[in-house]
Amino acid sequence: MFRRASWAWLLLLVPLALTIAWTGLNHDVRFVLGTLQTAGRAGLAPSEVFVHRPMAYRLVLAAGDAGSALPLPVREAVVRILALVAVLLVSLLLRAGLRRYRPAREATVVAAATGVALALAPNWDFLQPEWLAAVFATGGVGAALRIPRLVPATVAGGVFLALAVLVKYTTAPTALVALGVVAVLDRRRAVLTGVLGVPICLGLFGLTVLIEPREWRWLGELSSLNGGSPLRRGWALSDAQALAGTMLNEAMVVPAVALLPVSVAVLVRLAAGRRARLAWLLLPAAAVLVVLAAVVLQGQWFQYHLAALVPFAAALGALAVARWSAEHGGPSRALVLAAIALGIGAPIVSAATTEWRLAHGTPVYAALTVLVVAGVLLAARDRGRTWPVVAVLAASAVFAVPVWPSAPYSFDGIHPDYTNSERVAAADLDERLIAPVRARIGAGTPVVYLAFGDMAYFFGNSAHCRYPAPVFVQRGTYIPAVRELESYRENLDCLEHADAGYLVVQPSWLALDRLPAEVAAGVHRRFDCERAMPAGQLTVCPRR
């Protein structure tokens, strides 16, 4: 049935090519790559550098930065291509695993949707720990189901899921969701994968501590860097409002997530028996809740914390289409009509100015809610079908929404002014303004950074410090408890390195007058910021 519409899937090559050739990487990924790069040029390995991410994540990104010596656009294209190859491999593994339990067409559609959702994830999601955890979780499901022999299958699945946890620790819910998917198809394999996965995870974490003992201390200190977590200050009504806002933003930025209730309604409609219908209601709800638990735990309300929901929602949508088509001869009208509305409407309202979006969030979210509810109600009564080519075009439009040039990082939440095109322009400007200053001081001159890690990424000079991006110093300016940490004191020591010829400051992130008085005085004794050179967002102060 879908073979006649296979040409329509080729449309997805256009947004995919756009992400590789133009979109670039988000500021957080550049933060990690920049800190690893600048410390690496001073002789420090990725395992030795603090970047606000666990070692497993640092090692994966360091391995993926194979083109670090290439011009910036080519370098980032190489990183994306390697990530997309990983997505392709785990998607094929998922398909192979599902085919042992489900019809081939169903397995193919679900695996393809999962892979496309990961490949065309919002730019703020792409290569974040949460996104990487979803990639590992996809591989874990595929490995646990595909390998014929039980023990090798569950060991392989356990390794994948352990990596899903170790890339950030708060990504453990993603591994739990993957275990739940395995359990639906093979409960025995799910139990053994979980039982083996725990010691594998602990063993790999122990290995990271052996490689770099500071990793244990950094694990304990990470929570101190986030003073906004409800676990530290208590739950408040504002947290519930922030969580709801984050979910609504995700539904606008990623229409596949908005379609999740409609997909569940279609699957409930197709279920045979009350118990199966109840399972289709409860299991997806449980998966969403465990992912939301990690969002609440962190309390920062960043959209990328929900990255695991994107492939999960896409997979359920594909499953709903495949099963409805198998029973009714074509895709569900409820799902396709809702997808068409979102595929057309979401890019239009998201392309509006930041000011308009901030002022019109309530009516836009109300319209979105009405659309989703209407889709659920139609799914509860619909018995019809639509043409496969229409479903493929609608799905392509939905998948492409997050990577449109005008797509914002959030509709009206955090970074609503960041869009894909704006971020490309900002990166081009930063690189162009920094290049003359870097040429003037010399690319081989060591420096000290008081700047966000993406500025180190663009600047590129080496930093003889485990904390090239001084997160502990920056957080210490407004979280007093951070100033009591050992890593804070280590971070301050970086400011005293005698070989640093320049101080690179980003005042918008860490102005010198925000430092403790004695620290600021020491900086001014060593560096002359009255003779500073401007470099875009940066101020470059020579050593006295």
Side-chain angles (χ1 to χ4, degrees):
M1 177 197 313
F2 285 98
R3 289 178 182 175
R4 288 176 292 178
S6 59
W7 62 268
W9 288 114
L10 296 177
L11 294 174
L12 289 174
L13 294 177
V14 175
L16 189 63
L18 185 71
T19 64
I20 295 172
W22 177 77
T23 306
L25 304 174
N26 67 64
H27 57 284
D28 290 323
V29 173
R30 286 173 176 156
F31 175 107
V32 175
L33 294 179
T35 52
L36 295 180
Q37 165 188 285
T38 53
R41 287 174 178 168
L44 292 170
S47 60
E48 300 175 284
V49 183
F50 180 85
V51 299
H52 212 168
R53 297 288 188 261
M55 186 187 294
Y57 181 75
R58 303 197 300 271
L59 294 178
V60 171
L61 254 63
D65 194 18
S68 58
L70 299 171
L72 184 66
V74 181
R75 174 187 183 180
E76 297 195 345
V78 170
V79 172
R80 273 196 176 266
I81 289 170
L82 291 176
L84 292 174
V85 169
V87 168
L88 175 62
L89 293 176
V90 298
S91 300
L92 291 173
L93 183 58
L94 176 64
R95 177 182 179 272
L98 292 176
R99 282 197 64 183
R100 295 187 68 242
Y101 295 85
R102 302 301 308 164
R105 180 173 296 171
E106 186 175 299
T108 300
V109 171
V110 170
T114 302
V116 171
L118 288 168
L120 297 180
N123 199 41
W124 201 11
D125 288 11
F126 195 80
L127 278 177
Q128 292 278 11
E130 286 79 1
W131 180 90
L132 199 57
V135 173
F136 282 130
T138 302
V141 173
L145 297 176
R146 171 63 185 90
I147 300 173
R149 296 178 61 185
L150 179 64
V151 174
T154 52
V155 168
V159 170
F160 271 111
L161 297 189
L163 292 172
V165 173
L166 291 172
V167 290
K168 196 177 175 182
Y169 310 130
T170 54
T171 51
T174 304
L176 288 177
V177 172
L179 273 180
V181 172
V182 176
V184 168
L185 298 171
D186 192 321
R187 192 173 304 173
R188 184 184 178 198
R189 289 189 177 227
V191 171
L192 193 54
T193 299
V195 168
L196 293 176
V198 171
I200 290 171
C201 185
L202 293 175
L204 289 175
F205 176 71
L207 180 61
T208 66
V209 174
L210 287 175
I211 295 171
E212 174 50 72
R214 285 179 178 83
E215 198 73 15
W216 177 257
R217 187 220 305 164
W218 287 340
L219 171 61
E221 292 174 338
L222 278 173
S223 62
S224 299
L225 296 176
N226 179 15
S229 172
L231 290 186
R232 295 181 63 84
R233 54 170 173 76
W235 179 262
L237 178 61
S238 60
D239 295 313
Q241 294 169 338
L243 180 60
T246 304
M247 281 297 297
L248 288 170
N249 268 277
E250 189 72 4
M252 276 303 305
V253 173
V254 190
V257 174
L259 290 171
L260 181 57
V262 184
S263 302
V264 170
V266 171
L267 291 167
V268 169
R269 178 76 184 278
L270 292 169
R274 181 179 178 183
R275 184 175 179 181
R277 289 193 293 271
L278 188 61
W280 275 118
L281 285 172
L282 295 180
L283 294 179
V288 172
L289 286 175
V290 296
V291 173
L292 292 182
V295 177
V296 172
L297 175 66
Q298 295 170 90
Q300 295 173 301
W301 320 117
F302 295 151
Q303 295 308 132
Y304 71 82
H305 289 169
L306 291 168
L309 289 185
V310 178
F312 179 74
L316 281 187
L319 181 62
V321 168
R323 291 194 175 180
W324 188 274
S325 299
E327 186 165 321
H328 296 278
S332 163
R333 289 184 300 187
L335 200 49
V336 172
L337 289 174
I340 292 173
L342 287 170
I344 296 173
I348 293 174
V349 295
S350 295
T353 64
T354 304
E355 292 74 18
W356 187 92
R357 285 185 276 115
L358 292 174
H360 295 84
T362 300
V364 169
Y365 293 140
L368 175 64
T369 302
V370 169
L371 174 63
V372 172
V373 170
V376 171
L377 294 176
L378 179 58
R381 299 186 177 188
D382 186 30
R383 299 192 179 192
R385 63 181 183 180
T386 189
W387 296 300
V389 67
V390 176
V392 172
L393 291 172
S396 299
V398 165
F399 281 128
V401 167
V403 298
W404 276 66
S406 57
Y409 277 26
S410 75
F411 188 79
D412 64 353
I414 296 175
H415 296 321
D417 54 327
Y418 287 11
T419 67
N420 290 334
S421 58
E422 181 274 336
R423 289 289 85 194
V424 170
D428 290 342
L429 181 62
D430 284 329
E431 189 178 20
R432 180 160 47 84
L433 294 177
I434 287 172
V437 176
R438 185 171 187 248
R440 180 176 173 182
I441 71 172
T445 303
V447 302
V448 173
Y449 291 101
L450 289 180
F452 194 74
D454 65 338
M455 292 294 103
Y457 179 79
F458 293 121
F459 207 89
N461 285 53
S462 64
H464 292 256
C465 176
R466 293 180 184 273
Y467 308 86
V471 175
F472 283 93
V473 172
Q474 193 259 357
R475 292 291 201 277
T477 61
Y478 61 90
I479 305 177
V482 172
R483 295 195 288 270
E484 305 300 320
L485 300 176
E486 185 175 349
S487 294
Y488 177 81
R489 293 186 287 273
E490 284 187 348
N491 201 166
L492 285 180
D493 290 341
C494 294
L495 303 179
E496 300 180 4
H497 276 298
D499 63 346
Y502 292 85
L503 174 71
V504 180
V505 185
Q506 184 182 7
S508 62
W509 189 68
L510 179 53
L512 293 179
D513 59 9
R514 289 170 53 195
L515 295 171
E518 67 279 7
V519 176
V523 170
H524 285 298
R525 281 195 305 271
R526 288 182 289 275
F527 298 97
D528 186 0
C529 288
E530 293 185 0
R531 295 190 298 117
M533 294 171 283
Q537 301 181 52
L538 302 176
T539 300
V540 182
C541 307
R543 180 173 284 277
R544 292 185 185 275

